Amino acid sequence: MLKKCKREDGNYEFDKPNFKNLNKIFEVTQFPRYSIQEMTKNIHLTNQDVYGYVTAFFILFRKEVCYYYGCPTCKISVEETAHKCKHCNRDKINPIKYFKLIATIQDSSNQQESVILFDDVLDDLFGKTTDKMVAMQTNDTDDFYNCLKAKTCVLFKMDLKGKQELYKDSYRTAFILRKVSKPLYKVKQKYFIKQFVYILRQLPDFNKYILAFSLYLIISKHK
């Protein structure tokens, strides 16, 4: 059962990816890498928001509820029963639910960092609405865990915003996931297989067996 992936503290943690061939996987994607460590360093040096792409895996999702109540105009968090937004000064508001989930990602240098996921990436990443995700989590169904597990140990190109924010009288670094690509490694692997199939069709039978076996060995190493 997928519920076994819950830790004692309630977080949803899954098996970490096998990093034995990780550098090869990143090379296959042909995207320039911008590490989490470099982004963090730039934030501290400039004291400004930093934007950049990283290629990374999801390895953990936090246990908090996956939504908050926000102002319909500016999306800033408000009380569920609030009638006015103190941020944009809008009156007579009806707070609505917005998606929010905190995850831990890991890049090719094994650097780990927490990132915040909002509804901007909800559809691209999970293909679900906020109401659907909330319902699945509230009902504690396997569907919610399946959604999370399906996104772990898969390589994504992530568009991150890093910033310094005040938290309990001190500043900390926070990362927000602004955009996420389709799974990079799976996409490349699918293309790779199609190319092999095309080549196999052009070769004599004996060579087909050799290449087919080679393809099997390559894919097995990257599983």
Side-chain angles (χ1 to χ4, degrees):
M1 293 290 289
L2 287 172
K3 291 183 180 180
K4 291 182 180 179
C5 69
K6 265 193 174 182
R7 305 194 316 188
E8 291 183 1
D9 59 9
N11 290 328
Y12 312 118
E13 185 173 31
F14 304 94
D15 292 336
K16 293 180 175 59
N18 181 0
F19 288 98
K20 183 178 180 181
N21 296 309
L22 185 59
N23 288 332
K24 293 181 181 179
I25 296 175
F26 275 89
E27 289 170 5
V28 169
T29 65
Q30 298 178 353
F31 280 107
R33 296 208 301 271
Y34 188 40
S35 71
I36 297 171
Q37 187 175 16
E38 289 174 323
M39 289 191 69
T40 303
K41 182 178 179 180
N42 287 341
I43 293 169
H44 293 160
L45 287 175
T46 63
N47 289 323
Q48 295 179 350
D49 294 351
V50 173
Y51 298 84
Y53 286 98
V54 300
T55 42
F57 295 91
F58 290 105
I59 61 172
L60 182 143
F61 291 91
R62 295 274 289 276
K63 65 180 179 180
E64 290 89 354
V65 293
C66 63
Y67 70 93
Y68 68 95
Y69 283 95
C71 169
T73 301
C74 65
K75 295 187 177 182
I76 297 298
S77 178
V78 297
E79 295 292 333
E80 181 181 356
T81 57
H83 298 290
K84 181 177 180 178
C85 177
K86 296 179 180 179
H87 183 262
C88 66
N89 293 321
R90 179 180 171 181
D91 291 320
K92 299 180 180 179
I93 65 170
N94 292 312
I96 60 177
K97 291 178 181 177
Y98 291 104
F99 179 78
K100 180 181 179 181
L101 194 63
I102 300 176
T104 300
I105 62 173
Q106 183 166 329
D107 66 9
S108 62
S109 65
N110 290 339
Q111 178 82 14
Q112 296 183 6
E113 186 62 64
S114 294
V115 296
I116 306 173
L117 287 64
F118 290 107
D119 54 346
D120 296 336
V121 298
L122 178 58
D123 186 55
D124 288 339
L125 188 59
F126 297 110
K128 308 287 184 183
T129 64
T130 297
D131 289 340
K132 181 66 175 177
M133 292 293 286
V134 171
M136 288 193 299
Q137 187 184 47
T138 302
N139 296 330
D140 200 28
T141 65
D142 285 344
D143 290 340
F144 186 75
Y145 302 99
N146 276 321
C147 277
L148 302 184
K149 187 172 178 62
K151 304 307 173 185
T152 58
C153 303
V154 178
L155 187 64
F156 290 97
K157 181 183 178 184
M158 303 180 185
D159 181 359
L160 298 180
K161 173 186 177 181
K163 64 178 183 177
Q164 292 269 29
E165 64 177 15
L166 187 62
Y167 180 75
K168 294 183 178 179
D169 299 325
S170 62
Y171 283 93
R172 66 178 183 181
T173 303
F175 286 92
I176 298 172
L177 182 61
R178 302 172 65 238
K179 189 176 180 181
V180 63
S181 71
K182 293 180 180 179
L184 295 177
Y185 178 53
K186 286 189 175 181
V187 170
K188 289 293 178 179
Q189 187 184 74
K190 185 177 180 181
Y191 172 78
F192 183 59
I193 293 173
K194 285 183 178 180
Q195 290 296 101
F196 251 80
V197 171
Y198 173 78
I199 294 172
L200 286 175
R201 288 175 178 172
Q202 316 302 318
L203 297 174
D205 289 341
F206 179 73
N207 289 342
K208 286 182 182 180
Y209 292 127
I210 295 176
L211 277 178
F213 183 68
S214 300
L215 174 61
Y216 168 77
L217 292 177
I218 292 171
I219 293 176
S220 298
K221 288 182 179 180
H222 290 294
K223 282 185 177 180

